[in-house]
């Protein structure tokens, strides 16, 4: 049975490592943030490598959806789609989400903010995607009640156990091949990878368990305060 997995996360959330893990299976095609160019075109936001992103992908979300609804690339059994929640603007089509297994990848907002500011200063709540993640989670549950949540902390703590639990939930087999990948990135990386993916490019597997929560700059404390209850509402639903 072909399974299409839409993995919804915010930035700096273990999302690229998870894409690499599914790609390493050998039976799973992957795609990296297919709505990114459409999001930038619609919002006009000035992100790092903006022009390169716009030139690398379709800017019409309907074209993106057409691809996601099509055959699994390469004739493989499964299709892992890495999505950023804030890319799915309210104006974009969502009916295709009925046709995929929707999983929500969460991370404590203090860790997200600390990682984000190292690459792009002064993130807003919208930038880190928690409100959009909750909204999409509720949308999927209203559709068919089977939205799944996985916490990146659990994956870092015990990748084999957490991934096996996730695979069982999405009804595919777990394989140890998901625990490692070649250093240097993946051919499906988005053009923006050169700016964002340095750490995972240098990895061959999931990083060690996370330590204590990091300190957040005072001026970002309101963002953290707003994000925590959103995160907690999803944390309470994790598998």
């Amino acid at each position: 049975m072909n399974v299409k997995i839409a993995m919804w996360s915010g930035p700096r959330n273990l999302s690229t490592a998870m894409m690499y893990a599914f790609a390493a299976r050998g039976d799973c095609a992957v795609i990296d943030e297919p709505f990114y160019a459409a999001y930038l075109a619609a919002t006009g936001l000035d992100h790092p490598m903006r022009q390169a992103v716009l030139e690398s992908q379709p800017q019409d979300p309907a074209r993106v959806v057409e691809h996601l609804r099509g055959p699994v690339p390469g004739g493989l059994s499964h299709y892992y789609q890495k999505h950023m929640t804030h890319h799915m603007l309210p104006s974009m089509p969502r009916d295709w989400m009925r046709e995929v297994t929707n999983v929500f990848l969460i991370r404590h907002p203090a860790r997200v903010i600390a990682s984000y500011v190292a690459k792009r200063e002064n993130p807003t709540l919208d930038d880190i995607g928690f409100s959009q993640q909750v909204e999409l989670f509720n949308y999927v549950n209203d559709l068919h009640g089977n939205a799944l949540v996985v916490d990146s902390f659990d994956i870092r703590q015990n990748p084999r156990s957490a991934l096996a639990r996730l695979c069982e939930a999405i009804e595919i087999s777990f394989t140890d091949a998901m625990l490692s990948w070649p250093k240097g990135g993946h051919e499906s990386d988005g053009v923006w990878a050169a700016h964002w993916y340095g750490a995972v490019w240098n990895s061959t597997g999931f990083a060690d368990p996370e330590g204590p929560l990091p300190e957040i700059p005072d001026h970002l404390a309101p963002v953290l305060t707003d994000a925590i209850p959103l995160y907690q509402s999803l944390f309470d639903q994790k598998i």
Side-chain angles (χ1 to χ4, degrees), residues 2 26-29 70-79:
N2 293 112
D27 64 351
C28 189
V72 177
L76 297 175
S77 299
H78 310 304
Y79 197 10

Side-chain angles (χ1 to χ4, degrees), residues 46-86:
D46 184 19
H47 277 208
M49 304 183 67
R50 170 185 163 84
Q51 192 57 39
V53 175
L54 290 171
E55 293 172 358
S56 70
Q57 293 178 319
Q59 297 179 27
D60 179 356
R63 286 187 56 200
V64 179
V65 169
E66 183 180 1
H67 167 80
L68 297 178
R69 278 181 153 152
V72 177
L76 297 175
S77 299
H78 310 304
Y79 197 10
Y80 183 93
Q81 303 164 6
K82 174 192 166 193
H83 297 291
M84 293 288 106
T85 57
H86 56 292

